[in-house]
Amino acid sequence: DRDPDHGMEAHNRIAELLEETGARERVVNQAWDDLSAAYQRLSQVSGPDGAAESRVGTVGRHYAASAEFRSIYVDFERFPEVQWTNNDQRNATLLIEDKQAELKAIEARCMELISTYQDFEYTSAALYVAGTAYLLYSDMIYNAPKPAGLDYEEIELYEEQISEFRIPVEDKGKARLQANLDKAKEEGRWSPWMTRTLGELSERFPAEYAEEKPEVRGEVESNYVPSAGAINIRESEETQ
């Protein structure tokens, strides 16, 4: 471990090669876990005065962030999946408790990634995921089955209450994505995740966001290619 960043790069390349050559999922996942373990080991060494210090530099943090984000993105892709039932109470539990808990867990992991690795590309990826997850949750609230047996006035009241619950969720997702664009402007950099951020905002809020990339000094190339994009619930329902 004389060159921690070089070691992290080697772990990353092994994991990428296993994925590219179609190795078994268990083997691929273990390779990414090995990368994360290497980061933990190298970032918790004792300095001359006995205090903990990290030997991992910018490159190593980037690869470690890549491994962590890969795991987060798996949960993010699963998040929009919800099986509504004919039981109103069960649906309410799914929406208010289960899915909200999943959302908070995804958000917490994203914020932890940002603070731990301080890597521009994966900060932008994490903010994209956190913001889009809130927007997807807003879609879930909007599309949730109405309780059975309501009359016209009760339906109106229900829809008002749903809007009061949904709009702050949508606003928080929008704010996360806007924070991503603000960071790009502040640092004068861009990433593919910024492009996806702007695309999400322009699709949902076309009057406020034009789908064009602002002028920046440099662009990074993403090392992580997701297996599929985020699921748009409204679009999915329209195609069924």
Side-chain angles (χ1 to χ4, degrees):
D1 295 331
R2 293 180 179 179
D3 186 344
D5 281 15
H6 182 73
M8 296 290 294
E9 184 176 8
H11 277 292
N12 183 77
R13 187 57 185 146
I14 290 169
E16 287 183 336
L17 284 171
L18 288 170
E19 279 192 333
E20 292 168 4
T21 55
R24 287 179 296 176
E25 183 179 3
R26 179 181 60 81
V27 175
V28 173
N29 289 340
Q30 184 59 57
W32 288 112
D33 288 345
D34 289 344
L35 192 160
S36 297
Y39 174 80
Q40 292 298 325
R41 175 168 49 83
L42 294 169
S43 63
Q44 296 178 4
V45 298
S46 297
D49 59 355
E53 63 178 30
S54 176
R55 296 174 55 206
V56 182
T58 302
V59 173
R61 289 201 309 273
H62 176 79
Y63 290 127
S66 172
E68 176 63 18
F69 181 74
R70 180 180 180 275
S71 174
I72 293 172
Y73 201 85
V74 170
D75 290 343
F76 172 66
E77 285 189 310
R78 292 173 180 163
F79 176 64
E81 300 172 4
V82 54
Q83 297 295 323
W84 301 115
T85 72
N86 294 323
N87 185 303
D88 293 339
Q89 184 58 48
R90 176 55 185 154
N91 287 342
T93 300
L94 276 170
L95 185 65
I96 305 301
E97 297 181 14
D98 299 350
K99 282 299 175 180
Q100 191 163 180
E102 289 179 30
L103 173 63
K104 293 298 184 182
I106 290 171
E107 181 183 35
R109 292 187 68 189
C110 287
M111 296 304 105
E112 180 68 18
L113 182 153
I114 292 169
S115 64
T116 299
Y117 303 108
Q118 300 179 31
D119 177 82
F120 175 80
E121 178 186 345
Y122 288 103
T123 290
S124 70
L127 285 172
Y128 167 80
V129 164
T132 304
Y134 269 91
L135 295 178
L136 291 172
Y137 186 52
S138 172
D139 289 343
M140 287 182 209
I141 298 168
Y142 180 83
N143 292 317
K146 294 181 178 64
L150 300 182
D151 60 27
Y152 178 77
E153 290 185 354
E154 289 171 331
I155 289 175
E156 281 196 327
L157 178 60
Y158 169 81
E159 291 178 344
E160 288 177 7
Q161 292 173 336
I162 283 294
S163 292
E164 290 177 0
F165 179 39
R166 184 189 68 80
I167 290 174
V169 173
E170 182 180 70
D171 287 345
K172 189 163 186 177
K174 181 181 177 183
R176 289 286 193 209
L177 297 182
Q178 179 60 53
N180 216 7
L181 298 183
D182 292 343
K183 184 170 183 62
K185 183 177 181 180
E186 177 185 341
E187 299 201 17
R189 301 175 66 187
W190 196 260
S191 82
W193 297 99
M194 296 295 186
T195 301
R196 295 184 70 169
T197 294
L198 187 55
E200 188 73 29
L201 286 168
S202 63
E203 179 181 343
R204 289 177 178 267
F205 313 101
E208 300 175 60
Y209 296 91
E211 193 168 5
E212 58 182 42
K213 184 169 67 175
E215 184 178 350
V216 292
R217 292 194 298 271
E219 179 168 350
V220 299
E221 181 177 350
S222 178
N223 292 324
Y224 180 77
V225 180
S227 58
I231 299 171
N232 187 309
I233 294 177
R234 290 182 179 134
E235 180 178 316
S236 298
E237 289 196 345
E238 288 172 359
T239 58
Q240 291 178 353

